[in-house]
Amino acid sequence: MGDNIGATDLVSARHDKAGMQRQWDECAQHLLEDVDPAIAREIQPGDILVAGQNLGTGHAHYYMAAIMGSAASGLSALLADSVNALFLRAAVDAGVTVWNLPGISRFVDSGDRLHIDLRTGHAENRTQHTHQQFPPVGDAVLQILDAGGSRNWALRAVGAAHAIR
């Protein structure tokens, strides 16, 4: 997707009301509509969005619409050469795979089939028959993602079935 894909490029600020009401499916319908109007209709479950530098820039108010709209669209991950740190933290906290993989944008072309093992950092571009090593993702982050977010991870860690209010 190139560089500088901000939160409001992922889901336009025009759809802020849907984001504030946690209407993630509605946000998904408008994913990247100002960047590539056809992309929301083309996404298949398991697809990965790959971007260049500065994914997720912009005001934190718009992060969850972008993050959860991306997840609701069927994207399995958002990977970029660099990701805004607060955007990345919000995504991991929500259990959505968003991560920095420096050089990923030069490793793939649109439509390529990938296999990426975040634990080992090994990536295989099955379309181009190439391999690349990226820094592996730490176990704590992978556990949070596996749990579906930090709240679920914390509840698992203490052996709780659900939170006490």
Side-chain angles (χ1 to χ4, degrees):
M1 295 304 304
D3 295 337
N4 303 310
I5 300 295
T8 55
D9 292 316
L10 288 165
V11 176
S12 170
R14 291 189 310 277
H15 306 290
D16 185 48
K17 183 175 179 181
M20 294 301 293
Q21 294 176 344
R22 298 175 174 254
Q23 296 173 346
W24 308 136
D25 288 337
E26 177 71 17
C27 292
Q29 291 177 24
H30 300 287
L31 192 69
L32 293 158
E33 70 184 3
D34 294 338
V35 177
D36 181 350
I39 202 163
R41 293 184 307 275
E42 295 171 357
I43 292 172
Q44 300 295 312
D47 282 354
I48 299 170
L49 182 132
V50 176
Q53 299 291 324
N54 303 317
L55 175 66
T57 57
H59 195 282
H61 173 83
Y62 300 105
Y63 288 176
M64 291 316 290
I67 292 164
M68 299 308 291
S70 295
S73 76
L75 288 173
S76 62
L78 286 78
L79 306 174
D81 295 328
S82 68
V83 180
N84 173 284
L86 292 175
F87 185 84
L88 185 145
R89 184 188 182 285
V92 170
D93 189 49
V96 177
T97 303
V98 174
W99 204 253
N100 296 297
L101 294 179
I104 188 74
S105 68
R106 292 182 306 277
F107 180 65
V108 300
D109 293 321
S110 184
D112 283 355
R113 298 192 50 80
L114 304 176
H115 175 77
I116 299 176
D117 184 337
L118 294 175
R119 184 171 308 283
T120 65
H122 182 261
E124 176 186 2
N125 184 322
R126 292 179 172 169
T127 303
Q128 297 182 27
H129 307 289
T130 56
H131 298 262
Q132 187 164 334
Q133 192 66 34
F134 295 101
V137 177
D139 285 337
V141 171
L142 293 172
Q143 289 172 16
I144 292 168
L145 293 173
D146 181 56
S150 61
R151 180 177 183 275
N152 293 340
W153 173 82
L155 291 172
R156 282 185 188 175
V158 298
H162 52 79
I164 299 171
R165 296 186 194 258

